[in-house]
Amino acid sequence: MHKLTALTPLGSDTPRMDTIGDLTISEVTDRALASVAARRDQEPALRTALSEAYKMELPDVGGSSQAGVLSVFWTGPHQWMISAPHDQHEQLARDLKDVSGATASVVEQTDGWCRFDVAGPALCDLFERLSNAPVRDMQPERVIRGILEHLGVFLWRLEQDRMAVLGPRSSAESLHHALITAARSIA
């Protein structure tokens, strides 16, 4: 039998955390992800199914919401990304598919993305060096799909001084390098 070892997007057996000046950049690896796309004319039924099963409200353009331990953010027209603690929801995509039935297409996304949380009072200074997203105007629970250092990412404002960056797992090292380099430029 194979003895496989899970690795983080940065290739380690433990998530990386870097503190530079008053900024902390943390690799987040304990979240399950699934994308949900409403099928044609099925968004109202999908909203009802998720509300009944999880008390979840699907956010509108640029928004996010919480439903217990589940988080959901808008990713595109009739599309959302749902996140949950991996140890409690390892089969998140399957469970969402069971609830949504024929109202939505659900795809497992956990290992397709990397996530870095950036926290600290210089948060906006850092992101202004990396992206043209209007981070100073972003309120908590807002999400922007944009470009960060030539990579397509989601910027998700979790709190006033905390932002999650979700990007392609295959570009995790490039994304991490960009965040570290920008943090050093303002430290």
Side-chain angles (χ1 to χ4, degrees):
M1 181 176 263
H2 298 287
K3 293 185 180 182
L4 302 176
T5 303
L7 296 177
T8 71
L10 291 177
S12 179
D13 56 354
T14 58
R16 182 161 174 178
M17 183 185 315
D18 298 283
T19 301
I20 300 168
D22 60 3
L23 288 169
T24 301
I25 301 166
S26 305
E27 184 181 21
V28 177
T29 61
D30 63 348
R31 304 293 293 180
L33 289 172
S35 63
V36 176
R39 293 186 179 161
R40 183 180 302 212
D41 301 324
Q42 293 298 309
E43 187 173 327
L46 172 62
R47 287 180 179 276
T48 299
L50 292 175
S51 178
E52 288 175 358
Y54 298 110
K55 309 280 187 271
M56 176 185 293
E57 296 297 323
L58 294 174
D60 291 327
V61 175
S64 71
S65 64
Q66 289 283 133
V69 298
L70 299 177
S71 301
V72 58
F73 64 89
W74 178 89
T75 59
H78 315 289
Q79 299 174 21
W80 300 268
M81 187 77 76
I82 299 177
S83 174
H86 192 272
D87 61 349
Q88 297 172 32
H89 294 276
E90 184 176 356
Q91 299 297 321
L92 178 63
R94 184 199 64 202
D95 296 342
L96 290 168
K97 183 60 183 165
D98 288 346
V99 166
S100 63
T103 67
S105 296
V106 179
V107 178
E108 168 65 43
Q109 297 287 332
T110 303
D111 290 327
W113 295 85
C114 65
R115 175 176 163 179
F116 296 97
D117 283 5
V118 181
L123 181 80
C124 292
D125 295 335
L126 179 133
F127 284 103
E128 286 176 342
R129 284 167 169 71
L130 295 170
S131 174
N132 66 355
V135 292
R136 288 199 191 274
D137 297 332
M138 282 181 75
Q139 296 300 313
E141 299 184 5
R142 301 305 295 167
V143 177
I144 291 177
R145 185 176 198 159
I147 303 294
L148 189 147
E149 196 68 15
H150 309 294
L151 298 169
V153 298
F154 289 101
L155 299 176
W156 182 10
R157 190 73 171 256
L158 302 170
E159 299 168 4
Q160 195 58 37
D161 285 343
R162 190 166 144 239
M163 181 91 72
V165 181
L166 285 89
R169 184 182 177 106
S170 60
S171 301
E173 289 185 23
S174 296
L175 183 55
H176 181 258
H177 174 75
L179 292 168
I180 294 295
T181 302
R184 288 182 179 142
S185 77
I186 59 175

